[in-house]
């Protein structure tokens, strides 16, 4: 396995010397996300395998090329899970890609995000340096938190080699309830419920219907079912439904229109934007199918304290991510220069 | 260089509130000073005072020795330095102008919250301006429906939960210093607490920051949603020990108060059995709200002060807390009880009411002050190790304790492997300081060797700066310096803290290898 690292480091050094852009790739399942990938392919899928997994430590350490499904299977076998319920977006998804994309699934608003679970990582920077940050323990404040900086940076700062993630036990009980509600009533309800000690683990609203998942101790789930009412979904269809939400397989997501991801304040009233909306994360995540002008969508999102991403769409000319203030942009460029001075990694994938 | 935390923690804890009014004035005197006071350059002082007086009111600008003396240290009071100037701004605009002025004059700035830090992060500089955020005390807004609170950085940690209580909400991270420490300091240190195994550290519980760089540029980081565009600067700033930017506003998440809380006190006849019980609870799929361990030395030290009724014949006790709705709590308590029994607990008590639960915790919360009562001096360590290494670490500590002839109280966040060994010593006894220093260094070295870290929540500051050389190699340290430079090119914001220079590590390496050969030869090989 060391030979692979040496080879990757060599490729990076050569690319840096020649200033040839590299396109870091695990399984390619998230090629659609962010700026269009370009550059010579740097394949990290060969660097795979679980390095250490001790259930009582609540930590798993694995190589970046490890298939996400392999990680999830290993955890499930020991009654554990990735708390952020990551979308795979294809069977080829790898751990490295999951961390680099930083996308979390339905459980995000109630348990944690990819970045919350990231405890440590090993990476190669733009000079081919083999670096380790963070560690395999829950609490660690030695040095700046580069592990979390790398999470969601879309490979623009370095090649992730290994990652340590915090994991959680699988919930003992789970139930999904459904309610007929319009969007504004849903926003009011899910926010109010989140302020009560209820074991909510996901919400999804689409087309006048709110689906709400409860996860936890049987006693807690049962008590919440009694309290909330609603229509209980059967287990099989419920499990499939949440996978469909996570993987964008639900009918809502099958669309030729551009798909926007609006991450905003959870209590924001239904947004008056042309196009059909779908809502997750207790109101904090809104999907919008729309060919309305980017500027209109971005302005409305910013007013709601958040940011809009052109999640899926063919025309990325107006940019994928919400523009930043001049001060923030300058800082991003400084950080990019720090980790990747020759600008070889994933050009244009995150920063325009 | 390793520092010594003098027994400066006020007791009873109520007196800690004095921190919040600005600078603490400690009741105990320190006999040993690791950092000698460097004299102030009067001319430089005049220059900077003149510039700052142009926009700061008199009450916000201190430079007379008796006025600035109270700021000479944080809670790691063995390190002391009189600051050249202390500023106490009240508005963001003043903060911005202080930073711009200092940047223009190339004067270093040290941010300070409540000064409860345990690693010397807020230690002033003889040629620097201490920027206290203590007057930023306002809770700007609480949004009960969105479950967030917008806070000025000087707001005390506990004040957040008090303000949120009427809405049935609270702020989860609860460092033992929560009566006194500020939310700005919590962010700067990524502070934890008794409940972070289940509810996370500061980094997991904040949404948004306003912060100013040394050039006076405003950064708005994070957002009202759960993520933001670009790199995760929210995480990068959390735990950055005041080296990257000065935080002037924090938006935190609030959680619903659990319906019920109950605590188990379990006694063990061997410390390592208690350590194993911790692993067994987690392996059973339980994430307790709190999971803390105290050894016999600790329970005997705290009992006279808190009358908790601890079983003093036990080698160690565990406190295992469960929270949630009432049914859930009783289910979890039953499950934990059976795991604890199977792990060899000799006695199990379950709190029957809130008063009893608080009594169980009273000793844990008073552990630091109690150390200060049973010994003239103590030194608090903060390593984190994988839980499976707990028995090894505990054995090694008792062996080191014998080797150095110094007592060591073990009290810690067992659930996440974050140890707080308190080495008890008397600085008046010749040689004890040096022994304590070596004892502490061996624990930190062992924490790294066992796959852990030198600091779980107290930060590096000036105290553990040399141990950073053991945990990281040059390329990582260079990366840290480069990240720092991305925010602060001239290295004017809290310089000399958190990240050692490579030169310093080279020096330390020479000393360490030399001393290490004989130091570690007696240790068992793991
Ligand atoms: C009795 C006792 C118990 C403790 N228990 C715990 C515990 O359980 N868990 C835990 O994690 N810690 C604990 N601590 C340590 C300490 O309380 C925390 O580190 C706390 O977060 C420090 O907050 P402060 O406001 O006192 O910060 P300070 O000590 O004033 O500063 C700490 C660091 O933050 C920087 N800083 C402060 N404010 C800002 C700002 N606004 N912007 C930028 N930088 C800033 C300073 O430069 C310094 O580097 C304890 C301390 C004591 C004395």
């Amino acid at each position: 396995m060391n030979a692979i690292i040496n080879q990757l480091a060599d490729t990076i050094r050569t690319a840096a010397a020649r200033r040839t852009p590299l396109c870091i790739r695990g399984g390619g399942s998230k090629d659609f996300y962010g700026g269009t990938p370009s550059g010579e392919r740097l394949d990290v899928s060969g660097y795979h395998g679980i390095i250490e997994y001790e259930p009582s430590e609540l930590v798993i350490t694995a190589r970046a090329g490890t298939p996400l499904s392999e990680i999830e299977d290993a955890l499930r076998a020991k009654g554990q899970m990735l708390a952020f319920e990551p979308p795979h977006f294809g069977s080829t998804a790898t751990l490295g890609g999951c961390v680099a994309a930083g996308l979390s699934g339905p459980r995000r608003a109630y348990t944690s995000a990819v970045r919350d679970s990231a405890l440590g990582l090993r990476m190669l920077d733009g000079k081919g340096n083999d670096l380790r940050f963070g560690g395999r323990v829950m609490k660690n404040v030695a040095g700046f938190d580069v592990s979390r900086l790398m999470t969601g940076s879309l490979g623009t700062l370095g090649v992730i080699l290994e990652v340590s993630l915090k994991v959680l036990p699988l919930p003992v009980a789970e139930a999904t309830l459904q309610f007929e509600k319009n969007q504004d009533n849903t926003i009011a309800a899910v926010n109010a419920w989140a302020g009560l000690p209820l074991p909510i683990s996901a919400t999804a609203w689409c087309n006048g219907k709110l689906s709400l998942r409860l996860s936890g101790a049987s006693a807690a789930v049962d008590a919440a079912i009694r309290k909330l009412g609603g229509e209980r979904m059967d287990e099989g269809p419920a499990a499939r439904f949440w996978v469909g939400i996570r993987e964008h397989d639900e009918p809502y997501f099958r669309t030729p229109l551009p798909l926007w991801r609006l991450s905003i304040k959870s209590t924001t009233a239904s947004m008056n934007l042309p196009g059909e909306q779908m809502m997750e994360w207790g109101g904090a995540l809104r999907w919008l199918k729309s060919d309305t002008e980017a500027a209109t969508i971005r302005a409305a999102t910013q007013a709601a304290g958040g940011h809009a991403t052109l999640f899926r769409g063919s025309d990325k000319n107006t940019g994928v991510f919400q523009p930043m203030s001049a001060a923030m942009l300058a800082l991003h460029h400084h950080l990019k220069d720090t980790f990747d001075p020759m600008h070889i990694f994933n050009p244009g994938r995150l920063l325009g | 260089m390793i520092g010594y935390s003098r027994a400066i923690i006020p007791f009873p804890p109520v007196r800690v509130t004095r921190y919040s009014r600005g600078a603490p004035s400690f009741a105990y005197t320190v006999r040993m000073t690791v950092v000698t006071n460097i004299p102030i350059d009067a001319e430089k002082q005049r220059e900077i005072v003149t510039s700052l007086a142009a926009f700061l009111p008199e009450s916000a600008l201190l430079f007379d020795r008796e006025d600035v003396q109270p700021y000479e240290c944080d809670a790691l009071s063995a390190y002391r330095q009189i600051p050249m100037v202390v500023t106490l701004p009240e508005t963001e605009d003043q903060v911005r102008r202080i930073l711009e002025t200092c940047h223009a004059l190339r004067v270093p700035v040290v941010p300070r919250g409540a000064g409860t830090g345990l690693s010397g992060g807020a230690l002033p500089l003889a040629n620097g301006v201490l920027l206290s955020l203590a007057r930023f005390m306002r809770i700007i807004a609480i949004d009960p429906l969105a479950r967030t609170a917008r806070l000025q950085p000087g707001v005390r940690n506990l004040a957040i939960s008090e303000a949120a209580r009427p809405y049935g909400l609270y702020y989860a991270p609860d460092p033992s210093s929560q009566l006194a420490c500020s939310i700005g300091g919590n962010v700067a240190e990524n502070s934890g607490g008794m409940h972070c195994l289940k509810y996370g550290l500061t980094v997991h519980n904040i949404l948004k920051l306003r912060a100013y760089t040394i050039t006076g540029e405003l950064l708005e980081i994070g957002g009202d949603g759960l993520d933001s565009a670009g790199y995760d600067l929210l995480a990068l700033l959390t735990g950055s020990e005041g080296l990257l930017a000065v935080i002037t506003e924090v938006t935190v998440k609030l959680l619903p108060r659990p319906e019920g809380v109950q605590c188990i006190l379990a006694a063990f006849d061997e410390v390592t059995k208690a350590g194993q019980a911790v692993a067994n609870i987690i392996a059973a799929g339980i994430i307790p709200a709190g999971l803390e361990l105290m050894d016999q030395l600790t329970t005997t030290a705290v009992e006279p002060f808190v009358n908790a009724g601890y079983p003093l014949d036990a080698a160690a006790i565990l406190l295992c807390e469960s929270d949630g709705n009432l049914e859930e709590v009783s289910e979890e308590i039953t499950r934990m009880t059976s795991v604890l029994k199977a792990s060899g607990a000799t006695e199990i008590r379950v709190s029957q009411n809130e008063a009893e639960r608080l009594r169980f915790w009273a000793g844990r919360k008073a552990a630091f002050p109690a150390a200060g009562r049973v010994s003239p001096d103590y030194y608090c360590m903060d390593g984190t190790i994988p839980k499976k290494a707990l028995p090894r670490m505990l054995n090694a500590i008792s062996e080191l304790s014998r080797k150095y002839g110094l007592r060591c109280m073990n009290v810690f966040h067992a659930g996440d492997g974050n140890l707080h060994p308190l080495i008890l010593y008397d600085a008046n006894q010749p040689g004890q300081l040096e022994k304590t220093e070596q004892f502490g260094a061996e624990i930190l070295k062992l924490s790294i060797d066992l796959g852990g870290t030198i600091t779980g929540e107290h930060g590096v500051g000036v105290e553990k700066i040399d141990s950073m050389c053991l945990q990281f190699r040059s390329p990582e340290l260079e990366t840290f310096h480069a990240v720092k430079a991305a925010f602060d090119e001239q290295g004017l914001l809290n310089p000399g803290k958190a990240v050692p220079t490579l030169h310093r590590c080279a020096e330390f390496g020479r000393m360490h290898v030399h001393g290490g050969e004989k130091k570690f030869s007696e240790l068992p090989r793991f």
Side-chain angles (χ1 to χ4, degrees):
Chain A
M1 284 289 167
N2 271 339
I4 300 181
I5 294 181
N6 292 337
Q7 210 177 346
L8 289 170
D10 275 347
T11 311
I12 290 169
R13 281 190 212 102
T14 312
R18 297 188 189 144
R19 299 185 175 234
T20 344
L22 295 175
C23 167
I24 309 168
R25 203 156 186 273
S29 63
K30 290 160 194 83
D31 279 352
F32 71 88
Y33 178 60
T36 310
S38 65
E40 220 164 275
R41 188 175 288 188
L42 186 70
D43 187 354
V44 291
S45 63
Y47 193 65
H48 64 87
I50 294 170
I51 297 171
E52 188 179 16
Y53 171 42
E54 202 129 359
S56 67
E57 299 293 333
L58 298 175
V59 178
I60 189 163
T61 303
R63 299 189 183 92
T66 315
L68 203 46
S69 54
E70 184 181 329
I71 307 258
E72 290 181 330
D73 290 346
L75 294 174
R76 201 175 305 109
K78 299 288 180 188
Q80 297 187 332
M81 63 176 186
L82 295 173
F84 48 90
E85 209 175 356
H88 292 219
F89 296 133
S91 57
T92 56
T94 61
L95 174 67
C98 162
V99 172
L103 295 171
S104 308
R107 213 176 286 272
R108 163 65 174 104
Y110 306 94
T111 316
S112 68
V114 190
R115 56 89 86 168
D116 293 331
S117 304
L119 299 176
L121 55 73
R122 180 174 178 188
M123 61 177 279
L124 294 171
D125 70 8
K127 295 179 213 149
N129 287 320
D130 183 351
L131 308 170
R132 288 169 191 269
F133 298 102
R136 298 179 187 183
V137 288
M138 294 294 152
K139 287 164 96 177
N140 186 354
V141 292
F144 298 128
D145 197 345
V146 177
S147 314
R148 292 196 170 97
L149 182 68
M150 289 294 292
T151 307
S153 65
L154 276 172
T156 55
L157 298 176
V159 178
I160 299 174
L161 292 174
E162 295 165 14
V163 188
S164 293
L165 293 173
K166 179 182 176 176
V167 301
L168 283 183
L170 282 166
V172 177
E174 206 143 76
T176 297
L177 307 176
Q178 291 193 312
F179 306 82
E180 300 288 334
K181 269 189 203 308
N182 70 23
Q183 191 173 11
D184 279 319
N185 288 340
T186 297
I187 293 166
V190 291
N191 276 287
W193 289 337
L196 301 173
L198 296 166
I200 301 173
S201 70
T203 62
W205 175 89
C206 190
N207 212 359
K209 189 178 266 179
L210 164 66
S211 307
L212 176 146
R213 187 177 63 190
L214 301 161
S215 310
S218 321
V221 170
D222 291 344
I225 293 172
R226 285 194 300 276
K227 188 176 174 100
L228 296 176
E231 189 85 21
R232 183 160 179 186
M233 257 177 116
D234 285 339
E235 250 170 65
R240 280 195 294 281
F241 172 76
W242 291 110
V243 170
I245 295 288
R246 190 188 79 196
E247 298 299 333
H248 287 190
D249 287 338
E250 277 293 300
Y252 171 86
F253 293 102
R254 286 185 221 130
T255 171
L257 288 171
L259 179 69
W260 287 85
R261 176 188 186 275
L262 319 183
S263 176
I264 55 172
K265 184 167 180 162
S266 63
T267 49
T268 309
S270 57
M271 294 167 84
N272 194 10
L273 287 167
E276 197 189 340
Q277 291 182 38
M278 189 273 179
M279 203 163 58
E280 285 188 78
W281 296 5
L285 184 63
R286 317 251 170 122
W287 297 99
L288 173 70
K289 299 192 276 200
S290 179
D291 48 14
T292 302
E293 288 227 347
T296 311
I297 296 171
R298 294 204 188 281
T301 312
Q302 193 154 8
H307 65 108
T309 307
L310 177 55
F311 198 75
R312 285 184 201 263
S314 46
D315 181 12
K316 294 179 175 175
N317 283 333
T318 54
V320 172
F321 299 102
Q322 190 90 11
M324 304 175 203
S325 72
M328 285 290 274
L329 189 63
L331 197 49
H332 275 71
H333 284 300
H334 286 156
L335 287 168
K336 171 76 176 168
D337 293 344
T338 295
F339 285 89
D340 177 18
M342 294 299 148
H343 293 203
I344 52 170
F345 293 133
N346 287 1
R349 196 83 196 261
L350 185 79
L351 301 171
Chain B
M1 206 189 300
I2 301 289
Y4 298 87
S5 182
R6 183 62 198 156
I8 44 81
I9 314 307
F11 190 86
V14 174
R15 280 173 54 196
V16 179
T17 46
R18 283 186 303 151
Y19 285 123
S20 61
R21 281 188 223 129
S25 53
F26 298 118
Y28 303 84
T29 51
V30 166
R31 281 157 292 179
M32 195 225 33
T33 303
V34 177
V35 173
T36 44
N37 251 316
I38 301 168
I40 306 291
D41 177 342
E43 201 174 316
K44 189 85 197 162
Q45 190 186 43
R46 258 195 305 281
E47 184 193 12
I48 182 79
V49 166
T50 311
S51 307
L52 293 172
F55 59 90
L56 281 180
E58 225 171 278
S59 62
L61 187 57
L62 313 178
F63 48 89
D64 283 343
R65 194 182 162 101
E66 74 242 41
D67 291 337
V68 299
Q69 179 123 27
Y71 296 89
E72 68 178 347
C73 64
D74 59 15
L76 181 71
S77 63
Y79 289 81
R80 286 167 185 247
Q81 172 61 53
I82 299 284
M84 180 168 68
V85 175
V86 173
T87 55
L88 293 156
E90 286 179 36
T91 66
E92 270 195 0
D93 197 51
Q94 289 171 347
V95 171
R96 181 180 57 78
R97 295 183 72 178
I98 291 168
L99 292 167
E100 278 172 1
T101 306
C102 291
H103 183 251
L105 297 172
R106 291 178 162 259
V107 172
V109 176
V110 176
R112 178 184 168 109
T116 69
L118 285 170
S119 52
L123 181 74
L125 291 165
N127 61 343
V129 167
L130 189 83
L131 199 173
S132 166
L133 282 307
R135 290 191 179 162
F136 284 81
M137 294 282 279
R138 215 154 53 81
I139 295 177
I140 302 164
I142 290 187
D143 185 334
L145 191 60
R147 292 146 282 119
T148 58
R150 257 180 78 200
L151 312 158
Q152 288 193 333
V155 171
R156 287 177 306 119
N157 173 293
L158 189 62
I160 309 168
S161 290
E162 282 168 353
R165 184 182 262 277
Y167 310 105
L169 302 170
Y170 77 111
Y171 177 63
D174 59 343
S176 310
S177 52
Q178 67 177 163
L179 266 172
C181 63
S182 74
I183 186 66
N186 289 175
V187 174
E189 299 283 12
N190 192 15
S191 298
M194 307 281 181
H195 296 93
C196 49
L197 179 63
K198 186 166 176 183
Y199 296 106
L201 307 158
T202 304
V203 71
H204 303 111
N205 288 279
I206 59 174
L207 286 172
K208 198 164 73 164
L209 299 176
R210 283 171 71 85
Y212 284 85
T213 63
I214 187 73
T215 54
E217 202 109 40
L218 171 67
L219 302 176
E220 290 179 279
I221 294 171
D224 292 327
L226 294 173
D227 47 35
S228 53
Y231 299 139
D232 196 337
L233 300 187
L234 192 63
L236 187 63
L237 246 72
T238 310
S240 63
E241 301 194 23
L243 267 73
L244 303 183
V246 176
I247 298 154
T248 54
E249 193 181 302
V250 185
T251 302
V252 302
K253 290 189 215 171
L254 301 173
L255 296 181
R257 296 179 69 84
E259 198 177 24
V261 192
Q262 229 177 342
C263 187
I264 304 176
L265 186 163
F268 291 85
D269 56 9
E270 279 173 43
V271 183
T272 46
K273 279 191 199 165
Q276 187 56 46
V278 170
N280 295 347
I281 288 178
I282 308 285
I286 304 168
I287 306 289
L291 188 50
E292 300 280 317
L293 187 149
M294 282 189 272
D295 70 0
Q296 195 169 19
L297 192 53
T298 309
T299 50
T300 16
V302 298
E303 184 62 26
F305 303 113
V306 297
N307 297 316
Y310 291 141
L312 298 180
D313 53 339
I317 64 166
L318 281 183
L319 296 176
C320 318
E321 186 148 286
S322 172
D323 68 9
N325 80 15
L326 299 176
E327 295 91 337
E328 184 180 11
V329 170
S330 82
E331 188 178 300
E332 198 167 88
I333 290 283
T334 311
R335 288 177 66 205
M336 286 203 288
T337 304
S338 70
V339 176
L340 290 164
K341 276 193 185 139
S343 309
T346 52
E347 186 187 342
I348 287 180
R349 297 183 206 163
V350 180
S351 68
Q352 296 305 315
N353 51 52
E354 189 59 8
E356 186 172 20
R357 186 183 74 86
L358 293 176
R359 214 163 40 245
F360 285 0
W361 281 104
R364 171 63 188 88
K365 297 207 168 177
F368 287 22
R373 286 297 183 93
V374 298
S375 169
D377 303 88
Y378 72 86
Y379 179 36
C380 172
M381 314 297 296
D382 177 42
T384 304
I385 56 168
K387 284 182 285 290
K388 64 170 180 242
L390 277 177
R392 283 191 204 168
M393 176 58 105
L394 294 170
N395 282 332
I397 289 177
S398 63
E399 215 156 293
L400 289 168
S401 177
R402 267 194 300 278
K403 170 175 156 186
Y404 288 108
L406 294 170
R407 292 175 299 162
C408 180
M409 286 167 53
N410 280 304
V411 44
F412 56 89
H413 312 301
D416 33 39
N418 185 199
L419 304 156
H420 289 323
L422 300 169
I423 304 171
L424 308 182
Y425 71 102
D426 182 353
N428 273 349
Q429 300 297 316
Q432 282 214 356
L433 284 171
E434 292 70 23
K435 280 201 223 166
T436 305
E437 180 177 54
Q438 284 169 22
F439 192 163
E442 288 206 40
I443 293 177
L444 291 189
K445 170 78 168 61
L446 192 57
S447 301
I448 299 170
D449 292 346
L450 293 172
T453 174
I454 55 171
T455 175
E457 58 181 14
H458 294 167
V460 173
V462 289
E463 180 215 9
K464 298 179 210 74
I465 197 147
D466 285 333
S467 298
M468 283 291 281
C469 308
L470 297 178
Q471 188 162 334
F472 294 99
R473 298 162 310 140
S474 310
E476 284 108 12
L477 294 173
E478 281 177 61
T479 304
F480 291 147
H481 285 297
V483 168
K484 160 90 174 141
F487 284 78
D488 171 16
E489 209 180 332
Q490 297 176 16
L492 289 172
L493 200 53
N494 217 3
K497 315 278 174 69
V499 187
T501 60
L502 299 186
H503 175 73
R504 188 179 180 126
C505 285
E507 287 295 306
F508 175 75
R510 268 196 288 283
M511 277 163 38
H512 180 77
V513 170
H514 173 70
E517 272 159 13
K518 47 182 203 298
K519 264 203 310 214
F520 295 105
S521 59
E522 296 156 50
L523 255 191
R525 296 269 144 226
F526 298 123

